Short mmCIF file of all heavy atoms in Angstrom, two decimals:
data_model
loop_
_atom_site.label_atom_id
_atom_site.label_comp_id
_atom_site.label_asym_id
_atom_site.label_seq_id
_atom_site.Cartn_x
_atom_site.Cartn_y
_atom_site.Cartn_z
N SER C 1 41.76 32.67 29.00
CA SER C 1 42.45 32.41 27.74
C SER C 1 41.59 31.56 26.81
O SER C 1 40.76 30.77 27.26
CB SER C 1 43.79 31.71 27.98
OG SER C 1 43.57 30.42 28.50
N LEU C 2 41.80 31.79 25.53
CA LEU C 2 41.21 30.96 24.47
C LEU C 2 42.38 30.42 23.67
O LEU C 2 43.19 31.18 23.15
CB LEU C 2 40.30 31.79 23.56
CG LEU C 2 39.91 31.14 22.22
CD1 LEU C 2 39.06 29.90 22.46
CD2 LEU C 2 39.17 32.13 21.34
N VAL C 3 42.48 29.08 23.58
CA VAL C 3 43.54 28.45 22.79
C VAL C 3 42.88 27.66 21.67
O VAL C 3 41.96 26.87 21.92
CB VAL C 3 44.40 27.51 23.66
CG1 VAL C 3 45.48 26.83 22.81
CG2 VAL C 3 45.03 28.26 24.82
N ILE C 4 43.32 27.90 20.43
CA ILE C 4 42.84 27.15 19.26
C ILE C 4 43.99 26.26 18.82
O ILE C 4 45.05 26.74 18.44
CB ILE C 4 42.42 28.10 18.12
CG1 ILE C 4 41.34 29.07 18.59
CG2 ILE C 4 41.95 27.29 16.91
CD1 ILE C 4 41.01 30.16 17.59
N PHE C 5 43.78 24.94 18.91
CA PHE C 5 44.80 23.98 18.51
C PHE C 5 44.68 23.72 17.01
O PHE C 5 43.58 23.65 16.47
CB PHE C 5 44.62 22.67 19.28
CG PHE C 5 44.71 22.85 20.76
CD1 PHE C 5 43.55 22.91 21.53
CD2 PHE C 5 45.93 22.99 21.40
CE1 PHE C 5 43.62 23.09 22.90
CE2 PHE C 5 46.01 23.16 22.76
CZ PHE C 5 44.85 23.21 23.52
N GLN C 6 45.79 23.53 16.33
CA GLN C 6 45.82 23.24 14.89
C GLN C 6 44.92 24.21 14.12
O GLN C 6 44.00 23.80 13.40
CB GLN C 6 45.40 21.80 14.62
CG GLN C 6 46.36 20.80 15.23
CD GLN C 6 45.93 19.37 15.01
OE1 GLN C 6 44.75 19.05 14.99
NE2 GLN C 6 46.90 18.49 14.86
N ALA C 7 45.16 25.50 14.32
CA ALA C 7 44.35 26.54 13.68
C ALA C 7 44.35 26.37 12.16
O ALA C 7 45.37 26.04 11.57
CB ALA C 7 44.86 27.91 14.06
N SER C 8 43.17 26.57 11.56
CA SER C 8 43.05 26.50 10.11
C SER C 8 42.39 27.79 9.62
O SER C 8 41.88 28.58 10.43
CB SER C 8 42.23 25.28 9.69
OG SER C 8 40.88 25.47 10.05
N PHE C 9 42.35 27.96 8.30
CA PHE C 9 41.78 29.20 7.76
C PHE C 9 40.30 29.35 8.09
O PHE C 9 39.77 30.45 8.08
CB PHE C 9 42.03 29.29 6.25
CG PHE C 9 43.46 29.60 5.92
CD1 PHE C 9 44.27 28.66 5.33
CD2 PHE C 9 43.99 30.84 6.22
CE1 PHE C 9 45.60 28.95 5.05
CE2 PHE C 9 45.32 31.14 5.95
CZ PHE C 9 46.13 30.19 5.36
N THR C 10 39.61 28.25 8.43
CA THR C 10 38.20 28.37 8.84
C THR C 10 38.07 29.04 10.21
O THR C 10 36.97 29.43 10.59
CB THR C 10 37.50 26.99 8.86
OG1 THR C 10 38.22 26.13 9.73
CG2 THR C 10 37.45 26.38 7.47
N ASP C 11 39.17 29.16 10.95
CA ASP C 11 39.14 29.84 12.25
C ASP C 11 39.27 31.35 12.12
O ASP C 11 39.11 32.07 13.10
CB ASP C 11 40.26 29.31 13.15
CG ASP C 11 40.07 27.85 13.52
OD1 ASP C 11 38.93 27.47 13.83
OD2 ASP C 11 41.07 27.10 13.48
N GLU C 12 39.59 31.85 10.91
CA GLU C 12 39.72 33.28 10.74
C GLU C 12 38.41 33.99 11.02
O GLU C 12 37.33 33.45 10.73
CB GLU C 12 40.18 33.61 9.32
CG GLU C 12 41.61 33.22 9.03
CD GLU C 12 42.09 33.69 7.67
OE1 GLU C 12 41.27 33.82 6.75
OE2 GLU C 12 43.28 33.93 7.55
N GLY C 13 38.48 35.19 11.56
CA GLY C 13 37.29 35.99 11.82
C GLY C 13 37.46 36.84 13.05
O GLY C 13 38.57 37.02 13.56
N GLU C 14 36.34 37.35 13.56
CA GLU C 14 36.38 38.22 14.74
C GLU C 14 36.30 37.37 16.01
O GLU C 14 35.38 36.58 16.19
CB GLU C 14 35.19 39.19 14.72
CG GLU C 14 35.19 40.12 15.93
CD GLU C 14 33.94 40.97 16.00
OE1 GLU C 14 32.89 40.45 16.41
OE2 GLU C 14 34.04 42.15 15.66
N ILE C 15 37.28 37.54 16.89
CA ILE C 15 37.29 36.90 18.19
C ILE C 15 36.95 37.98 19.21
O ILE C 15 37.55 39.05 19.21
CB ILE C 15 38.68 36.28 18.51
CG1 ILE C 15 39.11 35.30 17.42
CG2 ILE C 15 38.66 35.64 19.89
CD1 ILE C 15 38.25 34.08 17.27
N LYS C 16 35.97 37.68 20.06
CA LYS C 16 35.50 38.68 21.03
C LYS C 16 35.48 38.03 22.41
O LYS C 16 35.12 36.87 22.55
CB LYS C 16 34.10 39.15 20.62
CG LYS C 16 33.46 40.14 21.57
CD LYS C 16 32.19 40.73 20.99
CE LYS C 16 31.03 39.79 21.09
NZ LYS C 16 29.74 40.40 20.71
N CYS C 17 35.85 38.81 23.42
CA CYS C 17 35.77 38.36 24.80
C CYS C 17 34.95 39.38 25.57
O CYS C 17 35.16 40.59 25.44
CB CYS C 17 37.18 38.25 25.41
SG CYS C 17 37.17 37.64 27.11
N THR C 18 33.99 38.88 26.36
CA THR C 18 33.15 39.78 27.17
C THR C 18 33.31 39.42 28.65
O THR C 18 33.49 38.25 29.00
CB THR C 18 31.66 39.67 26.79
OG1 THR C 18 31.19 38.36 27.08
CG2 THR C 18 31.43 39.98 25.32
N ALA C 19 33.23 40.43 29.50
CA ALA C 19 33.21 40.26 30.95
C ALA C 19 31.98 41.00 31.46
O ALA C 19 31.80 42.18 31.19
CB ALA C 19 34.48 40.81 31.58
N THR C 20 31.11 40.28 32.19
CA THR C 20 29.83 40.86 32.61
C THR C 20 29.57 40.54 34.08
O THR C 20 29.72 39.40 34.51
CB THR C 20 28.67 40.27 31.77
OG1 THR C 20 28.99 40.42 30.39
CG2 THR C 20 27.36 40.97 32.07
N ASN C 21 29.19 41.57 34.83
CA ASN C 21 28.64 41.37 36.18
C ASN C 21 27.49 42.36 36.35
O ASN C 21 27.16 43.10 35.42
CB ASN C 21 29.71 41.48 37.27
CG ASN C 21 30.29 42.88 37.40
OD1 ASN C 21 29.76 43.85 36.85
ND2 ASN C 21 31.39 42.99 38.13
N ARG C 22 26.88 42.40 37.53
CA ARG C 22 25.71 43.26 37.68
C ARG C 22 26.05 44.74 37.64
O ARG C 22 25.18 45.58 37.44
CB ARG C 22 24.92 42.90 38.95
CG ARG C 22 25.62 43.17 40.23
CD ARG C 22 24.69 42.89 41.41
NE ARG C 22 25.36 43.10 42.66
CZ ARG C 22 25.79 42.13 43.45
NH1 ARG C 22 25.60 40.88 43.11
NH2 ARG C 22 26.41 42.42 44.58
N ALA C 23 27.35 45.06 37.76
CA ALA C 23 27.76 46.46 37.71
C ALA C 23 28.04 46.94 36.28
O ALA C 23 28.12 48.13 36.04
CB ALA C 23 29.00 46.67 38.57
N GLY C 24 28.19 45.98 35.33
CA GLY C 24 28.48 46.44 33.97
C GLY C 24 28.96 45.34 33.04
O GLY C 24 28.91 44.15 33.36
N HIS C 25 29.45 45.80 31.89
CA HIS C 25 29.80 44.90 30.79
C HIS C 25 31.01 45.49 30.06
O HIS C 25 31.04 46.68 29.78
CB HIS C 25 28.58 44.82 29.85
CG HIS C 25 28.76 43.91 28.67
ND1 HIS C 25 28.72 42.55 28.78
CD2 HIS C 25 28.94 44.18 27.36
CE1 HIS C 25 28.87 42.01 27.58
NE2 HIS C 25 29.01 42.98 26.70
#
């Protein structure tokens, strides 16, 4: 999980999550 406390307009944008191991991405 990603939690942003007291979110403001500067937090707007693309949020990306990646999972990587030797078998793939």
Side-chain angles (χ1 to χ4, degrees):
S1 66
L2 165 65
V3 179
I4 303 172
F5 302 100
Q6 296 178 326
S8 70
F9 287 111
T10 57
D11 294 317
E12 289 186 332
E14 180 187 77
I15 304 296
K16 177 171 78 172
C17 182
T18 64
T20 308
N21 66 12
R22 67 175 178 255
H25 181 74

